[in-house]
Amino acid sequence: MVVNRVSKIAIIGGGGTVGSTAGFLLALNGVADEVCLIDINRNLALNHVMDMENAIAERSATRVYAGDMSDLAQSDVIIVTASVPNRNVTSRLAFLEDNLKVMDKIGESIAKYAPEAVVVMASNPVDLLNYYLWRKFGLKREKCLGYTLNDSIRFAWAIRHVVGLDHKTKLFAPVIGEHGSSQVPLFSQVKADGKPLSLTTEQKEKVRQKIHNWFLEFNQLQINRTSGWTSGVGLSEFCQVLLDDQPQLVMASAILEGEYGLDGLSIGVPVMMARGGLRQILEWPLSDEEQKQFEASAKALKEIASQTMTF
């Protein structure tokens, strides 16, 4: 008799904004059989679990529960959203020093309980923390992916506003590079309903400005909250791919070993991924401007890593 293995996603930092919204959407959409919320504030995780159980009871068979680090065992995917508290800063890099200390504890637990799980880094700065976790704890490259889909989601959002496209238009708007200020929107790869979409120089500038202003405007509201709903939607889609046997194209931060002529860093690139993690890093041809911006983004990340990380 063949017994189907239970699929499981664990979320470290599951009581926080990103962790809880991701957990709720994963459970509501039935992406996995089990969703385990792990948080230093266990009562907060339990509070979310009780609420989620009520909300999804008529809609999903997913089991949601609160756990501790030992419950990482048997996870297919581990989403890391744990972080120092959100502050009103102008750059995600402001979180780096404190979050490296958080990653030390998390990395030890992953290596102990679930070294074969796919680890999705969603704490900021994503690229640097993904690289740190992989290198310091000897995890497999294909098992370490940084979540950067929010950049592409916002790129598409900006294009829809500038060009005037409604939600029914299927828009492919990829972003590579750092999950931060040096990100590179790939106008050369934008497609609407599968067909190339060309923007004028003026439209491109408007899109760039809209993206550039988003993070600052968000923090100027002086609300101690990160972009949970966007992350929740994206992480739900991300994990669906990681539990599917069919490889799919996704934008993610991956550890490079010669791709694009780079190594020694994790950075946003197009990847093919499926159950078990990374299958292939795609090396797209870039315009001269995009290539220059991508190289500058990579250089900035490597410089920060060399100045802040010890292994």
Side-chain angles (χ1 to χ4, degrees):
M1 182 177 69
V2 177
V3 178
N4 292 327
R5 186 181 177 283
V6 172
S7 58
K8 176 179 174 180
I9 298 173
I11 305 176
I12 302 176
T17 300
V18 173
S20 61
T21 53
F24 175 68
L25 287 166
L26 287 165
L28 182 68
N29 296 330
V31 174
D33 298 310
E34 295 184 2
V35 173
C36 176
L37 304 184
I38 301 170
D39 200 279
I40 192 170
N41 185 341
R42 181 173 176 81
N43 281 353
L44 180 58
L46 287 167
N47 179 278
H48 282 301
V49 166
M50 293 174 69
D51 196 7
M52 288 180 195
E53 284 180 334
N54 291 173
I56 70 171
E58 306 296 325
R59 298 167 177 82
S60 172
T62 295
R63 177 191 172 211
V64 186
Y65 60 100
D68 56 31
M69 288 300 194
S70 66
D71 289 297
L72 293 174
Q74 304 302 314
S75 295
D76 296 280
V77 178
I78 298 170
I79 304 174
V80 180
T81 68
S83 174
V84 294
N86 188 42
R87 305 187 296 274
N88 293 316
V89 296
T90 57
S91 170
R92 298 176 178 90
L93 295 177
F95 297 105
L96 179 57
E97 185 176 348
D98 290 339
N99 276 344
L100 286 176
K101 298 172 185 176
V102 175
M103 290 309 126
D104 282 336
K105 296 178 181 179
I106 289 172
E108 289 173 1
S109 295
I110 291 173
K112 179 179 180 180
Y113 295 110
E116 293 301 314
V118 178
V119 181
V120 179
M121 178 60 66
S123 301
N124 281 315
V126 165
D127 307 285
L128 293 162
L129 295 180
N130 188 52
Y131 179 73
Y132 182 78
L133 204 66
W134 165 75
R135 183 167 172 184
K136 181 153 189 178
F137 296 95
L139 304 177
K140 296 178 181 177
R141 177 171 90 131
E142 65 269 21
K143 302 293 185 181
C144 292
L145 292 162
Y147 172 76
T148 63
L149 266 184
N150 285 10
D151 298 327
S152 295
I153 291 171
R154 292 191 186 108
F155 186 26
W157 160 79
I159 290 172
R160 289 184 194 278
H161 277 262
V162 171
V163 177
L165 300 174
D166 63 26
H167 72 283
K168 295 179 182 179
T169 302
K170 187 175 181 181
L171 195 59
F172 179 66
V175 175
I176 62 172
E178 177 202 8
H179 178 56
S181 59
S182 68
Q183 64 184 251
V184 186
L186 294 183
F187 287 96
S188 64
Q189 298 289 336
V190 173
K191 294 181 176 64
D193 290 332
K195 298 178 181 179
L197 178 66
S198 296
L199 279 70
T200 66
T201 301
E202 182 182 359
Q203 286 174 326
K204 289 180 181 178
E205 183 54 36
K206 287 182 179 178
V207 168
R208 289 191 186 98
Q209 198 62 39
K210 202 168 187 65
I211 295 169
H212 176 75
N213 289 338
W214 187 91
F215 188 63
L216 291 176
E217 291 175 0
F218 189 82
N219 280 284
Q220 284 170 357
L221 296 173
Q222 298 292 304
I223 301 297
N224 188 24
R225 177 188 174 276
T226 189
S227 51
W229 294 112
T230 306
S231 301
V233 168
L235 282 165
S236 179
E237 295 175 356
F238 203 86
C239 289
Q240 279 184 303
V241 177
L242 288 172
L243 292 178
D244 195 331
D245 293 321
Q246 183 64 39
Q248 295 181 49
L249 168 62
V250 181
M251 308 308 295
S253 186
I255 292 132
L256 303 190
E257 294 183 339
E259 296 88 357
Y260 291 95
L262 298 168
D263 60 16
L265 81 164
S266 181
I267 193 168
V269 287
V271 305
M272 297 298 293
M273 66 184 202
R275 187 183 302 275
L278 176 70
R279 299 292 179 88
Q280 181 185 4
I281 294 173
L282 303 178
E283 296 187 67
W284 286 346
L286 305 177
S287 70
D288 290 344
E289 180 184 11
E290 291 167 347
Q291 182 68 36
K292 187 180 298 183
Q293 291 174 345
F294 184 59
E295 290 174 357
S297 185
K299 181 181 180 181
L301 284 172
K302 292 195 75 170
E303 287 178 350
I304 295 167
S306 67
Q307 294 167 6
T308 58
M309 297 182 185
T310 56
F311 301 98

